[in-house]
Amino acid sequence: MTSSAETTGMAPALDRIRFAINRAERLAGRPPGSVTLTAVTKQQPWEKVLPVLQAGQRAFGENRVQEALGRWEGAREAWPGLELRLIGPLQSNKAREAAELFDVIETLDRPSIVAALAREAERLGKALRVLVQVNTGEEASKSGVAPRDADAFIAEVRRHEALRLEGLMCIPPVDEEPAMHFALLRKLAQRNGLSVLSMGMSGDFETAVRFGATHVRVGSALFGAR
């Protein structure tokens, strides 16, 4: 069980991260507020999430559809402005639930997922906001489109009117300098006329801001270890 001390500690952590993002924006010569913090709630108890919500955080990232349903289903009335972003891999058999629950799907990486989400978005009568995940390190253990295939895959996504492609997402290898991966993602986005870059996590989000991140995904630095 989470203690009251741990719970009350969430809001100060949020303030520290917001301050670090603002400082990184300023050092990069970017306008204040140009970077959105996505709070990653994977495997976090509601007792840790609630104080962050109460402090005004509204963008949240989830890795699994079922876990997100258990946490957020029916929460929008209580928390106006809530934005849910799927940042974990998606299976085709979860496309319907994902399209219904999430505002943004960040992990498009296969034609089958693209087709499934397009069908569900059409059924719902909405343009579903999506990002393409690029496996910048070409790691076998990670999802994502290889950089050499990104242009063709982006074109494929754009063929579907029910999908609104906003940008790209990446997770750099843990044992490599992230800057080169952020630079590659920015280059791919610029070449394809995309404005959203979801990159940077707890250990490297300030570097990501320097390389143009519009969204940074922070979990452990905000909530502590799972």
Side-chain angles (χ1 to χ4, degrees):
M1 178 177 290
T2 304
S3 71
S4 59
E6 288 174 321
T7 300
T8 56
M10 296 300 107
L14 178 62
D15 287 340
R16 288 194 298 272
I17 292 164
R18 286 173 170 170
F19 178 82
I21 291 171
N22 291 340
R23 180 180 58 201
E25 288 172 332
R26 186 173 64 254
L27 292 173
R30 299 178 59 183
S34 59
V35 179
T36 297
L37 169 63
T38 299
V40 178
T41 45
K42 175 184 178 182
Q43 297 178 0
Q44 295 292 350
W46 181 249
E47 290 78 10
K48 286 188 174 183
V49 177
L50 181 58
V52 175
L53 265 168
Q54 292 172 329
Q57 176 65 24
R58 288 295 179 268
F60 290 87
E62 291 279 355
N63 280 59
R64 296 182 182 276
V65 175
Q66 288 305 120
E67 182 182 349
L69 280 167
R71 194 194 318 279
W72 298 110
E73 195 169 26
R76 294 184 191 275
E77 290 185 9
W79 303 102
L82 180 67
E83 181 179 83
L84 301 179
R85 307 177 71 92
L86 181 63
I87 59 173
L90 176 64
Q91 301 301 318
S92 296
N93 63 354
K94 297 294 183 184
R96 172 165 294 199
E97 292 169 313
E100 291 174 346
L101 178 65
F102 289 97
D103 299 286
V104 185
I105 310 287
E106 295 200 7
T107 50
L108 268 66
D109 65 347
R110 304 186 307 285
S112 60
I113 292 297
V114 173
L117 286 174
R119 284 194 301 270
E120 296 304 328
E122 288 172 2
R123 180 183 62 83
L124 294 168
K126 71 176 185 180
L128 181 62
R129 298 161 58 198
V130 297
L131 308 184
V132 167
Q133 181 174 354
V134 181
N135 187 347
T136 55
E138 301 194 48
E139 297 175 277
S141 61
K142 282 185 182 165
S143 302
V145 179
R148 63 182 175 277
D149 299 325
D151 293 346
F153 189 76
I154 287 167
E156 169 64 21
V157 176
R158 281 175 161 160
R159 288 181 53 248
H160 296 271
E161 294 183 2
L163 301 180
R164 193 169 91 200
L165 180 60
E166 295 185 337
L168 306 177
M169 177 266 229
C170 77
I171 305 172
V174 296
D175 57 350
E176 293 185 13
E177 170 55 50
M180 58 187 267
H181 295 274
F182 298 153
L184 173 57
L185 199 72
R186 179 177 62 185
K187 180 179 178 180
L188 289 170
Q190 290 173 340
R191 190 163 72 210
N192 286 279
L194 295 168
S195 60
V196 173
L197 288 172
S198 175
M199 58 188 195
M201 298 185 288
S202 290
D204 56 19
F205 68 86
E206 292 175 86
T207 300
V209 172
R210 181 159 54 92
F211 280 87
T214 61
H215 294 70
V216 295
R217 309 180 305 272
V218 178
S220 59
L222 176 56
F223 296 108
R226 293 187 292 271

